[in-house]
Coordinates of all heavy atoms in Angstrom, one line a residue:
M1 N 28.0 -15.7 16.7 CA 28.1 -14.4 16.1 C 26.6 -14.1 15.6 O 25.9 -14.9 15.1 CB 29.0 -14.5 14.9 CG 29.1 -13.1 14.2 SD 30.6 -12.7 13.4 CE 31.8 -12.7 14.8
I2 N 26.3 -12.8 15.8 CA 24.9 -12.4 15.4 C 24.9 -12.2 13.8 O 25.7 -11.7 13.2 CB 24.6 -11.0 16.0 CG1 24.5 -11.2 17.6 CG2 23.3 -10.4 15.5 CD1 24.3 -9.9 18.3
H3 N 23.8 -12.8 13.3 CA 23.6 -12.6 11.8 C 22.8 -11.3 11.6 O 21.7 -11.1 12.2 CB 22.8 -13.8 11.3 CG 23.6 -15.1 11.3 ND1 24.6 -15.3 10.4 CD2 23.7 -16.1 12.2 CE1 25.2 -16.5 10.7 NE2 24.6 -16.9 11.8
T4 N 23.3 -10.5 10.8 CA 22.8 -9.1 10.6 C 22.2 -8.9 9.2 O 22.8 -9.4 8.3 CB 23.9 -8.1 10.9 OG1 24.4 -8.3 12.2 CG2 23.3 -6.7 10.7
C5 N 21.1 -8.2 9.1 CA 20.5 -7.8 7.8 C 20.6 -6.3 7.7 O 20.1 -5.6 8.6 CB 19.1 -8.3 7.7 SG 18.9 -10.0 7.4
L6 N 21.2 -5.8 6.7 CA 21.3 -4.4 6.4 C 20.4 -4.1 5.2 O 20.7 -4.6 4.1 CB 22.7 -4.0 6.1 CG 23.7 -4.3 7.2 CD1 25.1 -4.0 6.7 CD2 23.4 -3.4 8.4
L7 N 19.3 -3.5 5.5 CA 18.3 -3.2 4.4 C 18.4 -1.7 4.2 O 18.5 -0.9 5.1 CB 16.9 -3.6 4.8 CG 16.8 -5.1 5.2 CD1 15.4 -5.4 5.8 CD2 17.1 -6.0 4.1
Y8 N 18.3 -1.3 2.9 CA 18.5 0.1 2.6 C 17.7 0.6 1.4 O 17.2 -0.2 0.6 CB 20.0 0.4 2.4 CG 20.6 -0.2 1.2 CD1 20.6 0.4 0.0 CD2 21.1 -1.5 1.3 CE1 21.2 -0.2 -1.1 CE2 21.7 -2.2 0.2 CZ 21.7 -1.5 -1.0 OH 22.2 -2.1 -2.1
V9 N 17.5 1.9 1.4 CA 17.0 2.7 0.2 C 18.1 3.6 -0.1 O 18.7 4.3 0.8 CB 15.7 3.4 0.6 CG1 15.3 4.3 -0.6 CG2 14.6 2.5 1.0
S10 N 18.5 3.7 -1.4 CA 19.5 4.6 -1.8 C 19.2 5.2 -3.2 O 19.3 4.5 -4.2 CB 20.9 3.9 -1.8 OG 21.9 4.8 -2.1
R11 N 18.9 6.5 -3.2 CA 18.6 7.1 -4.5 C 19.8 7.4 -5.3 O 19.8 7.3 -6.5 CB 17.9 8.5 -4.3 CG 16.5 8.3 -3.7 CD 15.8 9.7 -3.7 NE 14.5 9.6 -3.1 CZ 13.7 10.6 -2.9 NH1 14.0 11.8 -3.3 NH2 12.5 10.4 -2.4
Y12 N 20.9 7.8 -4.7 CA 22.1 8.2 -5.4 C 23.3 7.4 -5.1 O 24.4 7.6 -5.6 CB 22.4 9.7 -5.1 CG 21.2 10.6 -5.4 CD1 20.5 11.2 -4.4 CD2 20.9 10.9 -6.7 CE1 19.4 12.0 -4.7 CE2 19.8 11.7 -7.0 CZ 19.1 12.3 -6.0 OH 18.0 13.1 -6.2
G13 N 23.1 6.3 -4.3 CA 24.2 5.4 -4.0 C 25.0 5.7 -2.7 O 25.8 4.8 -2.3
T14 N 24.7 6.8 -2.1 CA 25.5 7.1 -0.8 C 25.1 6.1 0.3 O 26.0 5.6 1.0 CB 25.2 8.5 -0.4 OG1 25.6 9.4 -1.5 CG2 26.0 8.9 0.8
T15 N 23.8 5.9 0.5 CA 23.4 5.0 1.6 C 23.8 3.6 1.3 O 24.3 2.9 2.2 CB 21.8 5.1 1.8 OG1 21.4 6.4 2.0 CG2 21.4 4.2 2.9
R16 N 23.8 3.2 0.0 CA 24.3 1.9 -0.4 C 25.8 1.7 0.0 O 26.2 0.7 0.5 CB 24.1 1.6 -1.9 CG 24.6 0.2 -2.3 CD 24.8 0.2 -3.8 NE 25.8 1.1 -4.2 CZ 25.7 2.0 -5.2 NH1 24.6 2.1 -5.9 NH2 26.7 2.9 -5.4
D17 N 26.5 2.7 -0.3 CA 28.0 2.7 0.0 C 28.2 2.6 1.5 O 29.1 1.8 1.9 CB 28.7 3.9 -0.6 CG 28.7 4.0 -2.1 OD1 28.4 2.9 -2.7 OD2 29.0 5.1 -2.6
I18 N 27.5 3.3 2.3 CA 27.6 3.2 3.7 C 27.2 1.9 4.2 O 27.9 1.3 5.1 CB 26.8 4.3 4.4 CG1 27.3 5.7 4.1 CG2 26.7 4.1 5.9 CD1 26.4 6.9 4.4
V19 N 26.1 1.3 3.7 CA 25.7 0.0 4.2 C 26.8 -1.1 3.8 O 27.1 -2.0 4.6 CB 24.3 -0.4 3.5 CG1 24.0 -1.9 3.6 CG2 23.2 0.4 4.2
Q20 N 27.4 -1.0 2.6 CA 28.4 -1.9 2.2 C 29.6 -1.8 3.1 O 30.2 -2.8 3.4 CB 28.7 -1.7 0.7 CG 27.6 -2.2 -0.2 CD 27.9 -1.9 -1.6 OE1 28.7 -1.1 -2.0 NE2 27.1 -2.5 -2.5
A21 N 29.9 -0.6 3.6 CA 31.1 -0.4 4.5 C 30.8 -1.1 5.8 O 31.6 -1.8 6.4 CB 31.4 1.1 4.7
F22 N 29.5 -0.9 6.3 CA 29.1 -1.6 7.6 C 29.2 -3.1 7.4 O 29.6 -3.8 8.3 CB 27.7 -1.2 8.0 CG 27.6 0.1 8.7 CD1 26.8 1.2 8.3 CD2 28.3 0.3 9.9 CE1 26.7 2.3 9.0 CE2 28.2 1.5 10.6 CZ 27.4 2.5 10.2
A23 N 28.7 -3.6 6.3 CA 28.7 -5.0 6.0 C 30.1 -5.6 6.1 O 30.2 -6.8 6.6 CB 28.1 -5.3 4.7
Q24 N 31.1 -4.9 5.8 CA 32.5 -5.4 5.8 C 33.0 -5.6 7.3 O 33.9 -6.4 7.5 CB 33.4 -4.5 5.1 CG 33.2 -4.4 3.6 CD 34.1 -3.5 2.9 OE1 34.9 -2.8 3.5 NE2 33.9 -3.3 1.6
V25 N 32.4 -4.9 8.2 CA 32.9 -5.1 9.6 C 32.0 -5.8 10.6 O 32.3 -6.0 11.7 CB 33.3 -3.7 10.2 CG1 34.4 -3.0 9.4 CG2 32.1 -2.8 10.2
L26 N 30.8 -6.1 10.1 CA 29.8 -6.6 11.0 C 29.7 -8.2 11.1 O 28.9 -8.7 11.8 CB 28.4 -6.1 10.7 CG 28.1 -4.7 11.0 CD1 26.7 -4.3 10.6 CD2 28.2 -4.5 12.5
G27 N 30.6 -8.8 10.3 CA 30.5 -10.3 10.4 C 29.5 -10.8 9.4 O 29.2 -10.2 8.4
P28 N 28.8 -12.0 9.7 CA 27.9 -12.5 8.8 C 26.7 -11.5 8.6 O 26.0 -11.2 9.5 CB 27.3 -13.8 9.5 CG 28.3 -14.0 10.6 CD 29.0 -12.7 10.9
T29 N 26.7 -11.0 7.4 CA 25.7 -9.9 7.0 C 25.1 -10.2 5.7 O 25.7 -10.6 4.8 CB 26.5 -8.6 7.0 OG1 27.1 -8.4 8.2 CG2 25.5 -7.4 6.8
R30 N 23.8 -9.8 5.6 CA 23.1 -9.8 4.3 C 22.8 -8.3 4.1 O 22.2 -7.7 4.9 CB 21.8 -10.6 4.4 CG 21.9 -12.0 4.6 CD 20.6 -12.7 4.7 NE 20.7 -14.0 5.2 CZ 19.8 -15.0 4.9 NH1 18.8 -14.7 4.2 NH2 20.0 -16.2 5.4
A31 N 23.1 -7.8 2.9 CA 22.8 -6.4 2.6 C 22.0 -6.4 1.3 O 22.3 -7.1 0.4 CB 24.1 -5.6 2.3
S32 N 20.8 -5.7 1.4 CA 19.9 -5.7 0.3 C 19.1 -4.4 0.3 O 18.7 -3.9 1.3 CB 19.0 -6.9 0.4 OG 17.9 -6.9 -0.5
P33 N 18.8 -3.9 -0.9 CA 17.8 -2.8 -0.9 C 16.4 -3.4 -0.5 O 16.1 -4.5 -0.6 CB 17.7 -2.4 -2.4 CG 18.7 -3.3 -3.2 CD 19.2 -4.3 -2.2
V34 N 15.6 -2.5 0.1 CA 14.3 -3.0 0.6 C 13.5 -3.5 -0.5 O 12.7 -4.4 -0.3 CB 13.6 -1.9 1.5 CG1 14.3 -1.5 2.7 CG2 13.3 -0.7 0.6
A35 N 13.7 -3.0 -1.7 CA 12.9 -3.5 -2.9 C 13.3 -4.9 -3.2 O 12.5 -5.6 -3.8 CB 13.2 -2.5 -4.1
G36 N 14.5 -5.3 -2.9 CA 15.0 -6.7 -3.2 C 15.0 -7.6 -2.0 O 15.6 -8.6 -2.0
F37 N 14.2 -7.2 -1.0 CA 14.2 -7.9 0.3 C 13.7 -9.4 0.1 O 12.8 -9.6 -0.6 CB 13.2 -7.2 1.3 CG 12.9 -8.0 2.5 CD1 13.8 -8.2 3.5 CD2 11.6 -8.6 2.6 CE1 13.5 -8.9 4.6 CE2 11.3 -9.4 3.7 CZ 12.2 -9.5 4.7
A38 N 14.5 -10.3 0.6 CA 14.1 -11.7 0.6 C 13.5 -12.1 1.9 O 14.1 -11.8 3.0 CB 15.4 -12.5 0.3
P39 N 12.4 -12.8 1.9 CA 11.8 -13.2 3.2 C 12.7 -14.0 4.1 O 12.6 -14.0 5.3 CB 10.6 -14.1 2.7 CG 10.2 -13.5 1.4 CD 11.6 -13.1 0.7
A40 N 13.8 -14.6 3.5 CA 14.7 -15.4 4.3 C 15.5 -14.5 5.3 O 16.0 -14.9 6.3 CB 15.7 -16.1 3.4
A41 N 15.5 -13.2 5.0 CA 16.2 -12.2 5.9 C 15.4 -12.1 7.2 O 16.0 -11.6 8.2 CB 16.3 -10.9 5.2
R42 N 14.2 -12.6 7.3 CA 13.5 -12.5 8.6 C 14.2 -13.3 9.6 O 14.0 -13.1 10.8 CB 12.1 -13.1 8.4 CG 11.2 -12.2 7.6 CD 9.8 -12.8 7.5 NE 9.0 -11.9 6.7 CZ 7.7 -11.8 6.9 NH1 7.1 -12.5 7.8 NH2 7.0 -11.0 6.1
A43 N 15.1 -14.2 9.2 CA 15.8 -15.1 10.2 C 17.0 -14.3 10.9 O 17.6 -14.8 11.8 CB 16.3 -16.3 9.5
C44 N 17.3 -13.1 10.4 CA 18.4 -12.4 10.9 C 18.0 -12.0 12.4 O 16.9 -11.7 12.7 CB 18.6 -11.1 10.1 SG 19.4 -11.5 8.5
E45 N 19.1 -11.9 13.2 CA 18.9 -11.6 14.6 C 19.0 -10.1 14.8 O 18.5 -9.6 15.8 CB 20.0 -12.2 15.4 CG 20.0 -13.8 15.3 CD 21.2 -14.4 15.8 OE1 22.2 -14.4 15.1 OE2 21.2 -14.8 17.0
F46 N 19.6 -9.3 13.9 CA 19.8 -7.9 14.1 C 19.5 -7.3 12.7 O 20.0 -7.7 11.7 CB 21.2 -7.6 14.5 CG 21.5 -6.1 14.8 CD1 20.8 -5.5 15.8 CD2 22.4 -5.4 14.0 CE1 21.1 -4.2 16.1 CE2 22.7 -4.1 14.3 CZ 22.0 -3.5 15.3
V47 N 18.5 -6.3 12.7 CA 18.1 -5.7 11.4 C 18.4 -4.2 11.5 O 18.0 -3.5 12.5 CB 16.6 -5.9 11.1 CG1 16.2 -5.2 9.8 CG2 16.3 -7.4 11.1
V48 N 19.1 -3.7 10.5 CA 19.3 -2.3 10.4 C 18.7 -1.8 9.1 O 18.9 -2.4 8.0 CB 20.8 -2.0 10.4 CG1 21.1 -0.5 10.1 CG2 21.5 -2.4 11.6
I49 N 18.0 -0.7 9.1 CA 17.4 -0.1 7.9 C 18.0 1.2 7.7 O 17.9 2.1 8.5 CB 15.9 -0.1 8.0 CG1 15.3 -1.4 8.2 CG2 15.3 0.6 6.7 CD1 13.8 -1.5 8.5
G50 N 18.7 1.4 6.6 CA 19.3 2.6 6.2 C 18.5 3.4 5.2 O 18.1 2.8 4.2
T51 N 18.3 4.6 5.4 CA 17.5 5.4 4.5 C 18.0 6.9 4.4 O 18.4 7.4 5.5 CB 16.0 5.4 4.9 OG1 15.3 6.3 3.9 CG2 15.8 5.9 6.3
P52 N 18.0 7.5 3.3 CA 18.3 8.9 3.2 C 17.2 9.7 3.9 O 16.1 9.2 4.0 CB 18.5 9.2 1.7 CG 17.8 8.1 1.0 CD 17.7 6.9 1.9
I53 N 17.5 10.9 4.3 CA 16.5 11.8 4.8 C 16.3 12.9 3.9 O 17.3 13.6 3.5 CB 17.0 12.3 6.2 CG1 17.3 11.1 7.2 CG2 15.9 13.3 6.8 CD1 16.1 10.3 7.5
F54 N 15.1 13.1 3.4 CA 14.8 14.3 2.6 C 13.7 15.1 3.2 O 12.6 14.5 3.6 CB 14.3 13.7 1.2 CG 15.3 13.0 0.4 CD1 15.2 11.6 0.4 CD2 16.3 13.6 -0.2 CE1 16.1 10.8 -0.3 CE2 17.3 12.9 -0.9 CZ 17.2 11.5 -1.0
G55 N 13.9 16.4 3.4 CA 12.9 17.2 4.1 C 12.7 16.8 5.5 O 11.5 16.8 6.0
E56 N 13.7 16.3 6.2 CA 13.6 15.8 7.6 C 12.7 14.6 7.8 O 12.3 14.3 8.9 CB 13.2 17.0 8.5 CG 14.2 18.1 8.5 CD 13.9 19.2 9.5 OE1 13.2 18.9 10.5 OE2 14.5 20.3 9.4
V57 N 12.5 13.8 6.7 CA 11.7 12.6 6.9 C 12.4 11.5 6.1 O 13.1 11.7 5.1 CB 10.2 12.7 6.4 CG1 9.5 13.7 7.2 CG2 10.2 13.1 4.9
P58 N 12.3 10.2 6.6 CA 12.9 9.1 5.9 C 12.3 8.9 4.5 O 11.1 9.3 4.2 CB 12.6 7.9 6.8 CG 12.2 8.4 8.1 CD 11.6 9.8 7.8
D59 N 13.0 8.3 3.6 CA 12.5 8.0 2.3 C 11.2 7.2 2.4 O 11.1 6.3 3.2 CB 13.5 7.1 1.5 CG 13.1 6.9 0.1 OD1 12.4 5.9 -0.1 OD2 13.6 7.7 -0.8
P60 N 10.2 7.5 1.6 CA 8.9 6.8 1.7 C 9.0 5.3 1.5 O 8.2 4.5 2.0 CB 8.0 7.5 0.7 CG 8.8 8.6 0.1 CD 10.1 8.6 0.7
H61 N 9.9 4.9 0.7 CA 10.1 3.4 0.4 C 10.5 2.7 1.7 O 10.0 1.6 2.0 CB 11.1 3.2 -0.7 CG 10.7 3.7 -2.0 ND1 11.1 4.9 -2.5 CD2 9.9 3.2 -3.0 CE1 10.6 5.2 -3.7 NE2 9.9 4.1 -4.0
A62 N 11.4 3.3 2.5 CA 11.8 2.7 3.7 C 10.6 2.7 4.7 O 10.4 1.7 5.4 CB 13.0 3.4 4.3
T63 N 9.9 3.8 4.8 CA 8.7 3.9 5.7 C 7.7 2.8 5.3 O 7.2 2.1 6.2 CB 8.1 5.3 5.6 OG1 9.1 6.2 6.0 CG2 7.0 5.4 6.6
R64 N 7.4 2.7 4.1 CA 6.4 1.7 3.6 C 6.9 0.3 4.0 O 6.1 -0.5 4.4 CB 6.2 1.8 2.1 CG 5.0 0.9 1.6 CD 4.7 1.1 0.2 NE 4.8 2.5 -0.3 CZ 5.8 2.9 -1.2 NH1 6.6 2.0 -1.7 NH2 5.9 4.1 -1.6
F65 N 8.2 0.0 3.7 CA 8.7 -1.3 4.1 C 8.5 -1.6 5.6 O 8.1 -2.7 5.9 CB 10.2 -1.4 3.7 CG 10.8 -2.7 4.1 CD1 10.7 -3.8 3.4 CD2 11.5 -2.7 5.4 CE1 11.3 -5.0 3.8 CE2 12.1 -3.9 5.8 CZ 12.0 -5.0 5.0
M66 N 8.8 -0.6 6.4 CA 8.7 -0.8 7.9 C 7.2 -1.1 8.2 O 6.9 -1.9 9.1 CB 9.3 0.3 8.6 CG 10.8 0.3 8.6 SD 11.6 1.6 9.5 CE 11.4 3.0 8.4
E67 N 6.3 -0.3 7.6 CA 4.9 -0.5 7.9 C 4.4 -1.9 7.5 O 3.6 -2.5 8.2 CB 4.1 0.6 7.2 CG 4.3 2.0 7.9 CD 3.7 3.1 7.1 OE1 3.2 2.9 5.9 OE2 3.7 4.2 7.6
E68 N 4.8 -2.3 6.3 CA 4.4 -3.6 5.7 C 5.0 -4.8 6.4 O 4.4 -5.9 6.3 CB 4.7 -3.7 4.2 CG 3.9 -2.7 3.4 CD 4.3 -2.6 1.9 OE1 5.3 -3.3 1.6 OE2 3.6 -1.9 1.2
N69 N 6.1 -4.6 7.1 CA 6.8 -5.7 7.8 C 6.8 -5.5 9.3 O 7.6 -6.1 10.0 CB 8.2 -5.8 7.3 CG 8.2 -6.3 5.8 OD1 8.0 -7.5 5.6 ND2 8.3 -5.3 4.9
R70 N 5.9 -4.8 9.8 CA 5.7 -4.5 11.3 C 5.6 -5.7 12.1 O 5.9 -5.8 13.2 CB 4.5 -3.5 11.4 CG 4.3 -3.1 12.8 CD 3.1 -2.1 12.8 NE 3.4 -1.0 12.0 CZ 2.6 0.0 11.7 NH1 1.4 -0.1 12.1 NH2 3.0 1.0 11.0
D71 N 5.0 -6.8 11.5 CA 4.7 -8.0 12.2 C 6.0 -8.7 12.7 O 5.9 -9.4 13.7 CB 3.8 -9.0 11.4 CG 4.5 -9.4 10.1 OD1 5.1 -8.5 9.4 OD2 4.4 -10.6 9.8
W72 N 7.1 -8.5 12.0 CA 8.3 -9.2 12.5 C 9.5 -8.3 12.8 O 10.4 -8.7 13.5 CB 8.8 -10.2 11.4 CG 9.2 -9.6 10.1 CD1 8.5 -9.3 9.1 CD2 10.6 -9.2 9.8 NE1 9.2 -8.7 8.1 CE2 10.5 -8.7 8.5 CE3 11.8 -9.3 10.5 CZ2 11.7 -8.2 7.9 CZ3 12.9 -8.9 9.8 CH2 12.9 -8.3 8.6
L73 N 9.4 -7.0 12.4 CA 10.4 -6.1 12.8 C 10.3 -5.7 14.3 O 9.1 -5.4 14.7 CB 10.4 -4.8 11.9 CG 10.8 -5.0 10.5 CD1 10.5 -3.7 9.7 CD2 12.3 -5.2 10.5
P74 N 11.3 -5.5 15.0 CA 11.2 -5.0 16.4 C 10.8 -3.5 16.3 O 11.1 -2.9 15.3 CB 12.6 -5.2 17.0 CG 13.5 -5.3 15.8 CD 12.7 -5.8 14.6
P75 N 10.3 -3.0 17.4 CA 9.9 -1.6 17.4 C 11.2 -0.7 17.3 O 12.3 -1.1 17.8 CB 9.3 -1.4 18.8 CG 9.6 -2.6 19.6 CD 10.0 -3.7 18.7
P76 N 11.1 0.4 16.6 CA 12.3 1.3 16.5 C 12.8 1.8 17.8 O 12.0 1.9 18.8 CB 11.8 2.4 15.6 CG 10.3 2.4 15.7 CD 9.9 1.0 16.0
Q77 N 14.1 2.0 17.9 CA 14.7 2.6 19.1 C 15.4 3.9 18.7 O 15.8 4.1 17.6 CB 15.7 1.6 19.6 CG 15.1 0.3 20.0 CD 16.1 -0.7 20.5 OE1 17.3 -0.4 20.5 NE2 15.7 -1.9 20.9
D78 N 15.6 4.7 19.7 CA 16.4 5.9 19.5 C 17.8 5.5 19.3 O 18.3 4.5 19.9 CB 16.3 6.8 20.8 CG 14.9 7.5 20.9 OD1 14.3 7.7 19.9 OD2 14.6 7.9 22.0
P79 N 18.5 6.3 18.5 CA 19.9 6.0 18.3 C 20.7 6.1 19.6 O 20.3 6.9 20.5 CB 20.4 7.0 17.3 CG 19.4 8.1 17.3 CD 18.1 7.4 17.8
P80 N 21.8 5.4 19.8 CA 22.5 5.5 21.1 C 23.1 6.8 21.3 O 23.3 7.3 22.5 CB 23.6 4.4 21.0 CG 23.7 4.1 19.5 CD 22.4 4.4 18.9
F81 N 23.5 7.6 20.3 CA 24.1 8.9 20.4 C 23.3 9.8 19.5 O 23.8 10.2 18.4 CB 25.5 8.8 20.0 CG 26.3 7.8 20.7 CD1 26.7 6.6 20.2 CD2 26.7 8.1 22.1 CE1 27.4 5.7 20.9 CE2 27.4 7.1 22.8 CZ 27.8 6.0 22.2
P82 N 22.1 10.3 19.9 CA 21.3 11.1 19.0 C 22.0 12.5 18.8 O 22.7 13.0 19.7 CB 20.0 11.3 19.8 CG 20.3 11.0 21.2 CD 21.5 10.0 21.2
S83 N 21.8 13.0 17.7 CA 22.3 14.4 17.4 C 21.5 15.4 18.2 O 20.4 15.2 18.7 CB 22.1 14.7 15.9 OG 20.7 14.9 15.6
P84 N 22.1 16.6 18.5 CA 21.4 17.6 19.2 C 20.1 18.0 18.6 O 19.1 18.2 19.2 CB 22.4 18.8 19.2 CG 23.7 18.2 19.0 CD 23.5 16.9 18.1
R85 N 20.1 18.0 17.2 CA 18.8 18.3 16.5 C 17.7 17.3 16.8 O 16.6 17.6 17.0 CB 19.1 18.4 15.0 CG 17.9 18.9 14.2 CD 18.4 19.1 12.8 NE 17.3 19.8 12.1 CZ 17.4 20.1 10.8 NH1 18.5 19.9 10.2 NH2 16.5 20.8 10.3
A86 N 18.1 16.0 16.7 CA 17.1 14.9 17.0 C 16.7 15.0 18.4 O 15.5 14.8 18.7 CB 17.8 13.6 16.7
S87 N 17.6 15.3 19.4 CA 17.2 15.4 20.8 C 16.2 16.5 21.0 O 15.2 16.3 21.7 CB 18.5 15.6 21.6 OG 19.3 14.5 21.6
A88 N 16.5 17.6 20.4 CA 15.6 18.8 20.5 C 14.2 18.4 19.9 O 13.2 18.8 20.5 CB 16.2 20.0 19.8
A89 N 14.2 17.7 18.8 CA 12.9 17.3 18.2 C 12.1 16.4 19.1 O 10.9 16.4 19.0 CB 13.1 16.6 16.9
H90 N 12.7 15.7 20.0 CA 12.0 14.8 21.0 C 11.9 15.4 22.3 O 11.6 14.8 23.3 CB 12.8 13.5 21.1 CG 12.8 12.6 19.8 ND1 11.6 12.1 19.3 CD2 13.7 12.3 18.9 CE1 11.9 11.5 18.2 NE2 13.1 11.6 18.0
G91 N 12.2 16.8 22.4 CA 12.0 17.5 23.7 C 13.1 17.2 24.7 O 12.9 17.5 25.9
R92 N 14.2 16.7 24.3 CA 15.3 16.4 25.2 C 16.4 17.6 25.1 O 16.5 18.2 24.0 CB 16.0 15.1 24.8 CG 15.1 13.9 24.9 CD 15.9 12.7 24.6 NE 14.9 11.6 24.4 CZ 14.9 10.8 23.3 NH1 15.7 11.1 22.3 NH2 14.0 9.9 23.2
T93 N 17.1 17.8 26.1 CA 18.1 18.8 26.1 C 19.4 18.1 26.3 O 19.5 17.1 27.0 CB 17.9 19.9 27.2 OG1 17.8 19.2 28.5 CG2 16.6 20.6 27.0
S94 N 20.5 18.7 25.7 CA 21.8 18.2 25.9 C 22.4 18.6 27.3 O 22.0 19.7 27.8 CB 22.7 18.8 24.8 OG 22.3 18.4 23.5
P95 N 23.2 17.7 27.8 CA 23.8 18.1 29.1 C 24.8 19.3 29.0 O 25.3 19.6 28.0 CB 24.6 16.8 29.5 CG 24.6 15.9 28.4 CD 23.7 16.5 27.4

């Protein structure tokens, strides 16, 4: 089974609640705010970073975390089912 780390930023608790729901179904999972990140989480095979979006940009704490941990985080990937808005932002059109 894949060991998953769910790291998140949550100003009002909504992202935390979503991450906790994911943790219940993903199997062996570590869930932690990025501010409480433990270096032991680097051993996880699958890393998800949850962040609220304000003004169409991720929370700066999540962005800073990703920049500071670039050496071990895999490069970001497009979501498997991007929203029409996200697709348009990347110059893609819907079928």
Side-chain angles (χ1 to χ4, degrees):
M1 180 148 301
I2 294 176
H3 294 280
T4 303
C5 286
L6 301 171
L7 306 173
Y8 64 92
V9 174
S10 188
R11 289 186 185 182
Y12 304 108
T14 304
T15 305
R16 181 199 62 231
D17 293 346
I18 293 168
V19 164
Q20 289 174 346
F22 276 123
Q24 291 178 1
V25 297
L26 287 176
T29 304
R30 296 177 191 206
S32 169
V34 295
F37 169 73
R42 290 181 180 210
C44 288
E45 299 167 280
F46 185 64
V47 178
V48 176
I49 300 174
T51 177
I53 303 295
F54 297 104
E56 299 187 17
V57 296
D59 185 276
H61 296 96
T63 303
R64 186 175 327 112
F65 175 83
M66 289 183 280
E67 290 169 355
E68 291 173 354
N69 292 282
R70 181 177 300 172
D71 60 320
W72 67 273
L73 286 170
Q77 299 178 359
D78 286 338
F81 305 104
S83 69
R85 186 175 192 177
S87 296
H90 293 292
R92 299 183 193 123
T93 57
S94 299

